[in-house]
Structures are given as structure tokens and as C-alpha cells.
Amino acid sequence: MATTLTNFFKPVAGSSDKKAEGTPAAADSHADGDSAAAAAAAPTASPAKATAASRKRKSAAPASPAPAAPAAAAANNGAEAASAAAAAVKSATKAADAANEAAATAADGDEPAAKRAKADSLASLVPASWARVLSSELDKPYFGEIDKFLRAQATAKVQVFPAREHIFRALDLCPFDKVRVVILGQDPYHDVGQAEGLSFSVPAGVKVPSSLQNIYKELASDLGAKNFTKPKHGHLAKWAEQGVLLLNTGLTVKAHEAGSHKKVGWHRFTEAIVKAINKDLKGVVFILWGKHAQDAAKGVDESKHYTLKSAHPSGLSASRGFFGCKHFSKTNELLTKQGKAPIDWQV
């Protein structure tokens, strides 16, 4: 590269480069000064002789140097050529780098495509704090089969709740190391617009389901009117953000068909979640309403954690042991006994 650039800047004949070959500018200056001193020291000549001498000097004076414009143009042309050459080299280098990257990608089995597929996988949606403790579960074949099943449902235009991005919302809003309370549900709500990835919760603006209406009644009875006012919505994200894991044992459902995904394999995954909490955390309060939730938490070590059990809050069973259970005040008593902050149940 250096050799090419040198050729572009080869000196042009007849240009001022002669000074660089042995006639420094400083020498010109000294020479002019010496001539002036000699003239001052010489005796004054007559006007006629001076005029003749002047004509003689003019006739003997060297010709004026050639205009500098051609030399400047040549230099500009050389600079432009050098710039073009540098750009060509840069372009060639970039192309070579791209070719090398493509070759490496091919050797790695199309790594970018693999990354895209992985980024779109069901496992990639599990929040980092949970993925760390559930990593072995995410690699098991059954979890991949759940992903394939849901993709097939989507391809067939089968409506499934909640939306794919909300399947793990309970884990999103309640990181693993922040879990203080677990409320286990069964299925997501199966009507349009209800399910949002949190057990018993519905988005604001959606009619409050009967089970949640009964939960609100028990809250008002348990905590008193001064501490709880029945809300007009059913959105429970505030609980999740305080460390209440609102976990359904089944994380998806077909529209309008309760229990339709109970054999998909979700129970294995949610059992693993309960086991991880039981093993790695301490002093968690498990609120277990109904036989289904109680069976799902059978393995909880009650020497490390607390369990509160009652009937389910549905309209069919709430009066058979759910009303009057006082699980909300009891939960806060158990938390404060451990030096933990109580839950603000008002939503």
C-alpha cells in the first residue's frame, strides 16, 4: 500500500521541488541580503552608466519560472487518486471480512438462524431469575413438546389463552428471590379477554369473575372496611409486584374449554416451580384453596414454610370453608413474625 501512494506523489519536473534538491529557502534570503549590502558599499555611478548597467542586468536576468498552476493540478490529481485507492482497499477489506464471517457462520451450522430460533422459543420467554433455577427443566423433552403443541395450535388458528407473551407473566412480575407468598390456581380463565397470566386476576375493565368477587368479600371481612375497599376491577398485579406468586398449575387453555390443556404437560413445569421454592427459599406462605391446589403443594416442607388451606372461593364451594378462613390477615402475621413486610392487599 505504501509503495502505491509514493508513486502518486512523484515530483513534477520544473516545479519548485528544486529547492528540496539543495537550494533551501533560507539560502535565497541570505543571498538577497548580501547583494543589498554589496550595493550599499559600492561607489555611486553616473546616471548614464547606471541606466546602461540596469539594461544589462535586465537582459542577463533569468527567465521567469513556469506558472505553478500545472504543478498544483498534478498534485491535486495525485491526491484524488490516492484517496480513490484508499477507498478501494477499504472496500476490498470489508468484502473480505464479510466473506470470512459468512464462512465461519456456515462452519458453525448457520448460527444466526439458530439464535433466531432460540430467541423465539418458549424457554426464551421464561424470566432470567426463574430460568436459572429451572434450567434443567427447560431442557427436558416434555417442555419442548409443550412448545411444539402451542405452535401447532397457532398454525391451526386455534384460540389459546393467555397470549404467548403472557404465559409466564406470574414469573415476570414476581422474580424468584422475591417470592414471599404463593397463591395456586388451576386453569387460566377461558373466555375472551380474561386470562392475563396471573391466577384469579383479570385485566382492568373486564368483569370481575365470581371467584374473585368472593375473594374480595373475604378480604373485606378479614381486614375490615378501614383496611380494604372492594375495588371495581380484578387486576391483581399489585400483589404480584409485592412478592405474591399468582401461579396457575396449568398455564394455557383452549378458548371456552376449561381444563382443555391439563394433559399438555404444564403440571410438570409448575410442580418444578413449587419444588424450587420449597428447596431454595424459606418462610414462604402457601395459600391453598381447594383440593387441586393442596395436591399441587403436597411436597412443601412445613418445617421451612407455611401452608394455609381452605375450600376454593368459587360460588359452588366458598360457603363450605372459604368464607371466614382469614388467610389474608394470617399471611401478614406470618410474614411480620419473620421480620418481613406485610402485603398490602388493597388493589
Side-chain angles (χ1 to χ4, degrees):
M1 182 66 181
T3 302
T4 303
L5 295 178
T6 301
N7 290 338
F8 285 132
F9 291 98
K10 185 175 181 180
V12 180
S15 73
S16 57
D17 289 336
K18 289 182 178 180
K19 289 184 178 180
E21 296 174 1
T23 313
D28 290 342
S29 175
H30 290 311
D32 290 343
D34 292 342
S35 298
T44 304
S46 66
K49 289 182 178 179
T51 300
S54 177
R55 282 197 300 269
K56 185 176 181 180
R57 284 197 302 273
K58 285 181 180 180
S59 64
S64 299
N76 287 338
N77 290 339
E80 289 175 1
S83 177
V89 171
K90 184 176 181 180
S91 178
T93 301
K94 187 175 181 180
D97 290 343
N100 290 337
E101 184 177 351
T105 295
D108 290 340
D110 193 17
E111 185 180 354
K115 285 182 178 179
R116 285 194 298 274
K118 184 176 181 181
D120 192 41
S121 70
L122 191 63
S124 72
L125 301 178
V126 177
S129 70
W130 289 94
R132 284 193 292 271
V133 297
L134 299 171
S135 59
S136 62
E137 213 66 26
L138 300 178
D139 290 334
K140 291 181 179 178
Y142 84 85
F143 196 84
E145 290 302 315
I146 295 176
D147 197 359
K148 288 180 182 178
F149 170 78
L150 294 177
R151 289 177 186 276
Q153 295 286 285
T155 300
K157 307 297 183 184
V158 176
Q159 197 169 23
V160 172
F161 301 133
R164 186 176 176 89
E165 63 270 20
H166 289 160
I167 291 175
F168 302 114
R169 196 170 186 203
L171 309 183
D172 279 324
L173 296 183
C174 186
F176 178 74
D177 58 349
K178 302 296 182 183
V179 175
R180 298 190 287 149
V181 180
V182 177
I183 299 180
L184 287 177
Q186 186 169 346
D187 254 3
Y189 292 119
H190 54 78
D191 283 335
V192 176
Q194 289 183 310
E196 59 173 353
L198 304 172
S199 61
F200 298 100
S201 179
V202 294
V206 174
K207 182 180 177 181
V208 179
S210 61
S211 292
L212 186 52
Q213 292 278 13
N214 289 335
I215 290 171
Y216 285 165
K217 287 180 183 178
E218 176 59 23
L219 270 163
S221 171
D222 183 9
L223 304 180
K226 291 184 179 179
N227 297 312
F228 185 81
T229 302
K230 182 180 176 181
K232 296 180 180 180
H233 65 85
H235 187 51
L236 306 180
K238 182 180 175 182
W239 293 1
E241 291 165 353
Q242 296 178 77
V244 180
L245 181 63
L246 298 170
L247 182 68
N248 284 315
T249 56
L251 297 185
T252 59
V253 67
K254 183 180 179 181
H256 315 301
E257 294 186 22
S260 51
H261 287 183
K262 65 182 180 181
K263 294 183 179 180
V264 168
W266 282 125
H267 67 284
R268 293 183 61 180
F269 183 66
T270 51
E271 282 173 7
I273 290 174
V274 172
K275 286 179 181 178
I277 294 170
N278 181 57
K279 176 179 177 291
D280 295 335
L281 301 180
K282 187 176 181 180
V284 174
V285 181
F286 287 82
I287 298 178
L288 308 172
W289 297 326
K291 186 177 184 303
H292 180 86
Q294 292 160 20
D295 287 346
K298 275 184 178 178
V300 172
D301 183 352
E302 296 189 13
S303 68
K304 289 175 60 179
H305 305 285
Y306 304 93
T307 59
L308 299 174
K309 302 175 184 179
S310 78
H312 194 275
S314 72
L316 298 174
S317 59
S319 59
R320 298 202 295 265
F322 175 74
F323 289 135
C325 69
K326 297 187 180 297
H327 282 177
F328 305 100
S329 60
K330 288 178 180 178
T331 293
N332 281 347
E333 288 172 6
L334 293 171
L335 291 174
T336 55
K337 185 174 73 173
Q338 300 176 72
K340 300 177 182 179
I343 304 298
D344 178 6
W345 297 107
Q346 182 66 59
V347 292

